[in-house]
Amino acid sequence: MKIGICIPKERILLLTPGAADYAELRLTEIQAMTAEDIRETKKDLSSVGLGAETANGFFPSDVRMCGKYYDKKALTEYCKRGISNAAELDIHTIVLGSSAARNIDEGEDPVTCMKQIEESFLISAEVASEYNTTIVLEHLNRRECNTLNTAKEGAELVRRIAHPNLQLLVDFFHFSYEKEPYSVFYDNKDIIKHMHIAHPVTRFTPAEGDGFNYYELKGVLDDINYGGRMSIEAIYKEDFAQDAKESLGFVKKVFGK
């Protein structure tokens, strides 16, 4: 299993060479990049021996997935720019969570909004198919978002849309916050293509002796023969470079075999 780290592009050069297997960048930044920006980002990644194999942070808050400001044409154009630029960086797995874009505002019709959200995921998958890219749906806990709060709900939507370029991400922090059972992994092993990891309570970077038994999760992933990537998406201590290095080392020790 490859172990990576979620970071904005300005933190690439702070990473210790060899500590991560890949970087997970932000699509909101990538979609705005010029050709020169892409070249510079590749140069920075190369200097720390990394590729940017994945991205998250799909839609900004002003590209709405539902509601009265939902604009199918604008959303499609955003997807085309973002996914195309990501492919230039050799990124072919992109996380679609985007709570601010998919929250249903007060006064909006939930049924209509959910149809629009479903259409947004389908549009992203169809655009992604043009670039040999997979979109992975990220469930987000109820404190941060009011739609698709559990991995189970995310899996149901992925299966309903049934597009080969739309699969599922399991974020272990959100999964734990919603108190989901490990059976979700077994029930959906065929569509789980990416993972995010953090301490399931504090959301800090996973660390030796932090009070959680990560080997329990490792056993589940072994049972389902999970062979995808796992990115640290967490709250970092003040010294980002050192914290990232130590956490990546620990996560590789547990999951990277």
Side-chain angles (χ1 to χ4, degrees), residues 99-119:
S99 60
R102 83 175 193 223
N103 269 325
I104 299 175
D105 292 337
E106 186 175 352
E108 297 282 3
D109 175 47
V111 174
T112 298
C113 283
M114 284 308 301
K115 288 179 179 178
Q116 292 170 331
I117 288 170
E118 186 167 331
E119 182 177 59

Side-chain angles (χ1 to χ4, degrees), residues 44-112:
D44 288 348
L45 288 163
S46 179
S47 70
V48 292
L50 288 180
E53 299 181 9
T54 60
N56 59 35
F58 201 106
F59 290 118
S61 60
D62 60 346
V63 180
R64 297 285 293 152
M65 296 175 69
C66 66
K68 61 184 176 182
Y69 298 114
Y70 173 67
D71 184 332
K72 181 178 177 179
K73 181 179 178 181
L75 182 139
T76 302
E77 289 304 312
Y78 178 93
C79 287
K80 288 178 178 178
R81 290 194 306 274
I83 296 171
S84 173
N85 276 0
E88 290 293 324
L89 287 165
D90 296 321
I91 293 171
H92 293 285
T93 297
I94 306 178
V95 179
L96 206 175
S98 304
S99 60
R102 83 175 193 223
N103 269 325
I104 299 175
D105 292 337
E106 186 175 352
E108 297 282 3
D109 175 47
V111 174
T112 298

Side-chain angles (χ1 to χ4, degrees), residues 130-163:
E130 300 173 20
Y131 297 93
N132 192 31
T133 294
T134 298
I135 305 299
V136 285
L137 183 156
E138 181 179 23
H139 55 105
L140 300 166
N141 75 71
R142 70 190 71 187
R143 186 178 62 182
E144 299 178 20
C145 189
N146 59 18
T147 62
L148 302 172
N149 300 128
T150 66
K152 180 181 178 182
E153 290 172 336
E156 289 169 351
L157 184 62
V158 168
R159 294 191 188 283
R160 186 160 64 250
I161 293 174
H163 193 291

